[in-house]
Amino acid sequence: MSQLDIRDLRVTVAGNEILKGLNLTIEQGKVHALMGPNGSGKSTLAYTLMGHPNYEVTGGEVWFKGQNILELEPDQRSHLGIFLAFQYPVAIPGVSVANFLRTALNSHRKAKNPEDKGMPIPEFRTLLKEKMDLLKMDHSFAGRYLNDGFSGGEKKRAEILQMAALDPEFAVLDETDSGLDIDALRNVAEGVQALRGPNFGALVITHYQRLLNYINPDVVHVMFNGRIVETGGPELALKLEAEGYDWVREAHELVTSE
Amino acid sequence: MAKKKNTSARPKKAVVSKKKTTKTTTKAKATRAGLRPAPTAKKKAVGKNKPKAVAKKKSAAKTKAVANTRVVTRSPEREVISAGKTPRVITRGAATVQTKSGFPFSAEQIPALANGAKATAFLRSYRKGAWNQFEKLPLPSTNDEAWRRTDIRQLKRNGLQMVEALPKATRDKLPSIPARLLKPLVGKGHGGQIVFAPGKTTVQLSRDIAKQGVVFTDFATAASKHPDLLKKVLGSVVKPGEGKFAAMAAALAGRGVLLYVPKGVQVDEPLHSLLWGPGAGLAYFSHILVWVEDGASVTYVHESASPTLKEQSMHAGIVELHVGARANLRFVELQSWGEHMWNFTHERARVKKDGNLDWIFGALGSHLTKNFSEINLEGEGSLGRMSGFYFTDGDQHLDHDTQQNHLAAHTTSDLLFKGALEEQSRSVWQGMIYVAPGAQRTDGYQANRNLVLSKQARADSIPGLEIQADDVRCTHGATVGKIDPDEYFYLLSRGIPPVEARRLIVKGFFDPIMERIPFEGVRQRFQQAIVQKMK
Ligand SMILES: Nc1ncnc2c1ncn2[C@@H]1O[C@H](COP(=O)(O)OP(=O)(O)OP(=O)(O)O)[C@@H](O)[C@H]1O
Ligand SMILES: [Mg+2]
């Protein structure tokens, strides 16, 4: 069952505990939004789910498809169907988008079947074009070095392109909407919507209601000081948009400082 | 609660810390032994990066080596010296005798000369002159500036013998050439191919190319059929006296290539030569001569290769290139020696007015290499490009010593060397851009980039400028970096396994240099090497 189950997760970064016993369950096929003030630990959660070595897990478990994914290497988590759209995508000079994606896709195929000879090039080209069209990306992107010299918006689109090509079962989108112009935001949101279905769950980290207008989340959470402190429906996002985080702080400051 | 590292299971190679960039300011580099004319008083550089002028070195003659002036490299010395006083050496089987130089070679081993008295006379005098230099010159040591980072004391000189000295039966047992090395690396076919294997040389040249007056042949044939040509070209760019190994190669290289392209002739199909040097305890010598007359053009690929063995072998070689006015030479050199080979080469190109040289170096093999490569831009408007890639592993040590000499106005040089290092290997690149007095409006560029893949590997990168004209633009940069852990994690997060991820980053690192090499075969060879070296 591809439900994501985070239990009492504690994570330390550079000696500071950032996630302080976080609990969160995202059922299969559901899209949850995660909001919260700067520095509350949202990206820490995202990186931890993907297995970044700088984020040291000091406690808890994360269950997905019958495995505690904290025991897996990042590439194995990817093979299991987890995807992270980075808040700050990394440039890989000298490696083209097409070459990169083909290597990634073939790695996935090989993980499923060690005998796999790789996706035939014509098939790959067709797939790549199809996904680029979905995101209204110029085909010339395929030949450019990945994220190298890309504008902020282009990088975010390239993240969604990768997600569309790898077809994950659970994705974390870390502020994929920030830096996007209005058209790009719609394209990206449509890209996410196109994946949506009973086999695609997501955790959408965002600061703004705009994206949520397109991607209607099933559940909205608020993170504060390394924990989920509020959970509700789409109306919770609207409330935050209108009132900000002061009420959250007032309600939870005491709890966290004890 | 038990502490758990976020990533666990598989062991990892070191991937740490951000790239380090050495400053792109100018650093003086001591002039190589006798290699340049004495500088004049005032030096000033203007231009984009405002390199600091180098006001060093009072005299060019503080060297033990014979001081050939670099600029005027005509008329080779033709000293004739009797071989009589040479210590005797017996080179049969494994028996060796101590000689003064430590190398168990003797003047009697100077290659037999081809028939034809004319050829014999000049070749003999050239080789004997070189032999004499070889005997006189000291073995380089780390006290010599150019050899400071490359120590050859571990070369067991006494354990070497010339491959020619092997009994035929032993020689015939040496491994033969793998078919893949004979395949075209450039384009679909060869216009000509020369293959040197122990005891056997084969020469092929397409009739169409030969009809145009092109000569592409081995030394023995050149000496008998084209003695005047050989005489004109031999020793005209590289002097035997430039170093112990140059002299050794000049004296003892029976294996050689003469490529001559007459005025205005365009050779459309690439030419290819292969020096195959199997076996241990052996010494190989080679001498490549290329002369492209005014307005002519040619692409030539030369590869040196052997299997890897335990015991040492050595190779010493000379490469002399002449690019005439408005001529084009594209020269690709692949060094694929086995990792037991000690490899020493002296290479120089001279480019005349509006001539164009595109010189590509690929270095993957050898235990130790010391390579001197230089471009002399002698004619106004000439252009020299040097593109190098190297990838070392194990205990390999590659030292590339490059020099871009701007000896005339309006000349352009462009050097990019990129290297990756695995395990305990080591690389040295030291480069120099020299701008002669009066070589105004020149544009010189040099960059060396290194990617160090293991904690034990080490790359030294030493750029240098010496500028004696005041209206020039010279830029250079040198970097030594590691794999960026964020890049690495990004690839892993997409499902690319650790080994593949590192390879992909390394391939990406080399991509800018591959872009300069429009030869699919050469690129593929290098990609395969990356896969092999990064297990
Ligand atoms: N690599 C790191 N080294 C040191 N501190 C870190 C590191 N990564 C995160 N932190 C710290 O952890 C805390 C949480 O950071 P995180 O990036 O998870 O916040 P966030 O909720 O994503 O914020 P934002 O909304 O600004 O993206 C911050 O105080 C941050 O400075
Ligand atoms: Mg964040």
Side-chain angles (χ1 to χ4, degrees):
Chain A
M1 194 182 64
S2 54
Q3 160 173 307
L4 188 88
D5 220 342
I6 306 173
R7 296 181 197 157
D8 195 28
L9 184 62
R10 290 176 185 273
V11 174
T12 297
V13 185
N16 300 317
E17 184 168 69
I18 307 295
L19 299 186
K20 303 168 180 172
L22 185 139
N23 289 288
L24 179 61
T25 298
I26 299 166
E27 306 84 35
Q28 177 171 342
K30 293 286 192 265
V31 172
H32 289 208
L34 180 62
M35 306 181 83
N38 295 133
S40 54
K42 304 181 296 296
S43 294
T44 300
L45 174 62
Y47 278 125
T48 304
L49 292 177
M50 206 68 240
H52 194 294
N54 287 359
Y55 298 79
E56 191 186 352
V57 176
T58 53
E61 291 163 354
V62 177
W63 288 86
F64 184 67
K65 290 166 94 174
Q67 290 198 59
N68 177 7
I69 63 167
L70 299 180
E71 307 285 350
L72 301 178
E73 292 291 324
D75 56 318
Q76 296 169 324
R77 300 184 198 196
S78 172
H79 299 154
L80 202 61
I82 296 174
F83 183 89
L84 167 62
F86 285 62
Q87 183 173 1
Y88 305 107
V90 181
I92 314 285
V95 179
S96 70
V97 171
N99 183 12
F100 172 74
L101 263 182
R102 209 159 76 82
T103 310
L105 274 169
N106 286 338
S107 301
H108 278 249
R109 288 166 67 116
K110 209 160 189 158
K112 283 198 187 71
N113 170 20
E115 303 300 310
D116 188 83
K117 293 279 179 289
M119 184 182 278
I121 290 181
E123 190 185 324
F124 171 71
R125 289 219 180 100
T126 309
L127 177 122
L128 184 57
K129 275 196 192 125
E130 182 194 305
K131 301 300 179 192
M132 291 179 98
D133 289 341
L134 174 73
L135 292 161
K136 306 211 162 45
M137 289 174 86
D138 195 294
H139 290 183
S140 67
F141 262 89
R144 288 182 61 184
Y145 290 163
L146 183 63
N147 294 327
D148 198 24
F150 282 22
S151 75
E154 287 167 346
K155 284 184 189 167
K156 297 302 176 76
R157 267 198 234 211
E159 292 293 288
I160 301 306
L161 174 70
Q162 294 175 49
M163 179 171 86
L166 293 174
D167 195 20
E169 287 174 60
F170 180 79
V172 182
L173 276 60
D174 193 354
E175 295 196 29
T176 303
D177 54 340
S178 58
L180 292 178
D181 67 32
I182 293 152
D183 294 337
L185 180 70
R186 191 174 50 242
N187 293 338
V188 161
E190 281 167 3
V192 176
Q193 288 297 85
L195 285 179
R196 226 165 151 170
N199 291 319
F200 177 76
L203 182 64
V204 178
I205 300 172
T206 182
H207 286 295
Y208 306 105
Q209 176 59 35
R210 280 183 319 177
L211 178 68
L212 302 181
N213 288 338
Y214 294 101
I215 303 173
N216 225 322
D218 298 301
V219 183
V220 175
H221 306 279
V222 178
M223 186 164 183
F224 184 64
N225 211 353
R227 284 195 192 105
I228 303 290
V229 293
E230 298 280 340
T231 294
E235 73 291 341
L236 181 55
L238 291 168
K239 180 176 175 174
L240 291 170
E241 180 95 341
E243 299 176 20
Y245 288 109
D246 280 352
W247 63 273
V248 180
R249 281 197 185 91
E250 275 161 27
H252 300 281
E253 204 93 59
L254 270 178
V255 183
T256 54
S257 63
E258 65 186 12
Chain B
M1 195 177 311
K3 267 204 173 187
K4 219 175 331 173
K5 265 269 178 190
N6 201 343
T7 46
S8 50
R10 276 175 274 167
K12 263 187 225 106
K13 290 240 182 170
V15 281
V16 270
S17 100
K18 272 285 190 190
K19 281 169 195 153
K20 232 186 274 162
T21 307
T22 63
K23 266 185 278 156
T24 58
T25 51
T26 310
K27 208 187 336 171
K29 182 183 130 183
T31 316
R32 258 186 251 135
L35 297 185
R36 226 170 287 108
T40 48
K42 264 263 160 64
K43 292 151 212 170
K44 202 168 73 179
V46 291
K48 211 168 68 177
N49 271 20
K50 293 226 182 219
K52 261 179 266 157
V54 178
K56 270 206 92 176
K57 193 170 171 300
K58 288 274 137 58
S59 146
K62 63 163 205 184
T63 70
K64 294 159 256 170
V66 177
N68 294 313
T69 51
R70 309 302 285 319
V71 192
V72 191
T73 50
R74 270 139 233 164
S75 68
E77 292 148 66
R78 299 257 156 76
E79 248 179 308
V80 183
I81 277 131
S82 130
K85 8 180 171 112
T86 321
R88 283 220 151 212
V89 180
I90 302 147
T91 49
R92 220 151 277 142
T96 49
V97 169
Q98 192 75 42
T99 60
K100 205 169 59 184
S101 68
F103 290 100
F105 312 133
S106 74
E108 285 76 29
Q109 290 183 302
I110 292 174
L113 300 170
N115 39 4
K118 218 162 126 204
T120 311
F122 85 85
L123 253 184
R124 176 167 291 157
S125 87
Y126 171 83
R127 285 177 176 158
K128 283 182 178 166
W131 176 264
N132 190 51
Q133 302 270 26
F134 164 63
E135 293 228 294
K136 278 198 300 209
L137 289 167
L139 193 69
S141 82
T142 49
N143 295 326
D144 303 321
E145 179 57 28
W147 293 81
R148 202 148 73 85
R149 292 169 183 82
T150 296
D151 189 343
I152 57 168
R153 278 175 300 185
Q154 297 305 312
L155 173 63
K156 296 184 193 90
R157 306 196 292 282
N158 224 356
L160 298 165
Q161 62 176 325
M162 283 175 68
V163 65
E164 289 79 3
L166 280 183
K168 187 172 181 306
T170 314
R171 203 171 59 200
D172 289 348
K173 281 198 207 98
L174 291 171
S176 54
I177 302 174
R180 63 183 178 87
L181 292 179
L182 298 172
K183 279 201 229 134
L185 283 161
V186 169
K188 288 194 190 71
H190 301 303
Q193 189 172 54
I194 300 178
V195 179
F196 298 105
K200 191 167 178 239
T201 299
T202 54
V203 178
Q204 293 169 317
L205 182 63
S206 92
R207 206 163 289 161
D208 287 347
I209 295 175
K211 252 195 286 186
Q212 293 175 289
V214 173
V215 173
F216 183 56
T217 194
D218 68 312
F219 260 29
T221 314
S224 64
K225 292 218 176 110
H226 310 279
D228 293 336
L229 208 50
L230 186 60
K231 189 172 174 181
K232 165 172 152 175
V233 175
L234 186 72
S236 69
V237 190
V238 174
K239 303 291 180 198
E242 288 180 23
K244 187 87 170 170
F245 293 102
M248 191 192 288
L252 299 174
R255 282 175 195 73
V257 171
L258 173 64
L259 167 58
Y260 175 81
V261 186
K263 213 167 176 172
V265 170
Q266 318 293 310
V267 182
D268 294 328
E269 279 192 293
L271 305 175
H272 184 207
S273 59
L274 172 67
L275 171 60
W276 175 244
L282 297 179
Y284 286 90
F285 303 104
S286 70
H287 199 147
I288 307 286
L289 300 170
V290 178
W291 190 286
V292 188
E293 290 283 14
D294 297 355
S297 105
V298 67
T299 294
Y300 171 35
V301 184
H302 175 72
E303 177 161 20
S304 315
S306 74
T308 291
L309 294 164
K310 270 212 194 76
E311 299 294 315
Q312 300 177 348
S313 275
M314 76 158 278
H315 165 255
I318 291 178
V319 173
E320 306 187 52
L321 312 172
H322 168 97
V323 183
R326 301 173 321 282
N328 272 294
L329 169 62
R330 190 178 258 163
F331 183 46
V332 182
E333 261 185 88
L334 295 180
Q335 190 271 92
S336 319
W337 287 124
E339 296 192 12
H340 65 306
M341 189 64 90
W342 292 62
N343 177 44
F344 307 94
T345 54
H346 283 259
E347 313 186 11
R348 188 174 299 119
R350 161 173 67 207
V351 192
K352 299 301 223 182
K353 191 171 181 346
D354 297 322
N356 192 339
L357 169 68
D358 192 357
W359 195 353
I360 292 159
F361 302 80
L364 298 168
S366 79
H367 168 69
L368 175 144
T369 284
K370 176 75 194 182
N371 165 294
F372 295 95
S373 337
E374 296 185 33
I375 293 188
N376 281 353
L377 299 167
E378 288 187 9
E380 283 197 16
S382 58
L383 167 69
R385 198 154 86 131
M386 299 168 97
S387 311
F389 57 83
Y390 47 89
F391 194 154
T392 54
D393 62 358
D395 59 357
Q396 285 185 287
H397 177 116
L398 300 190
D399 180 338
H400 289 99
D401 203 316
T402 66
Q403 183 130 1
Q404 299 147 264
N405 296 322
H406 293 258
L407 307 175
H410 297 283
T411 47
T412 306
S413 70
D414 171 9
L415 177 145
L416 176 63
F417 269 55
K418 294 197 93 166
L421 298 93
E422 270 282 18
E423 296 167 348
Q424 304 83 256
S425 66
R426 199 169 161 202
S427 74
V428 179
W429 171 83
Q430 34 189 339
M432 173 66 85
I433 297 180
Y434 168 71
V435 181
Q440 306 294 11
R441 267 148 293 144
T442 56
D443 189 344
Y445 177 80
Q446 65 175 194
N448 172 234
R449 317 255 172 241
N450 295 284
L451 187 58
V452 177
L453 299 169
S454 105
K455 282 205 173 82
Q456 293 81 39
R458 176 175 158 190
D460 289 346
S461 184
I462 307 120
L465 293 182
E466 186 174 322
I467 295 168
Q468 302 188 25
D470 53 15
D471 183 11
V472 302
R473 194 172 87 160
C474 286
T475 20
H476 64 186
T479 53
V480 177
K482 293 173 181 169
I483 286 184
D484 178 354
D486 288 327
E487 283 180 36
Y488 178 66
F489 175 69
Y490 190 78
L491 299 190
L492 295 183
S493 79
R494 297 310 185 232
I496 301 173
V499 175
E500 277 291 315
R502 293 175 83 245
R503 280 180 190 157
L504 200 57
I505 290 171
V506 170
K507 284 181 186 172
F509 167 78
F510 280 113
D511 198 71
I513 201 86
M514 293 296 129
E515 299 257 296
R516 290 166 69 127
I517 305 172
F519 305 127
E520 190 51 31
V522 177
R523 287 201 296 243
Q524 268 175 15
R525 186 74 81 71
F526 191 57
Q527 306 290 347
Q528 285 159 9
I530 292 176
V531 171
Q532 269 166 22
K533 295 206 180 212
M534 299 182 73
K535 294 249 168 68

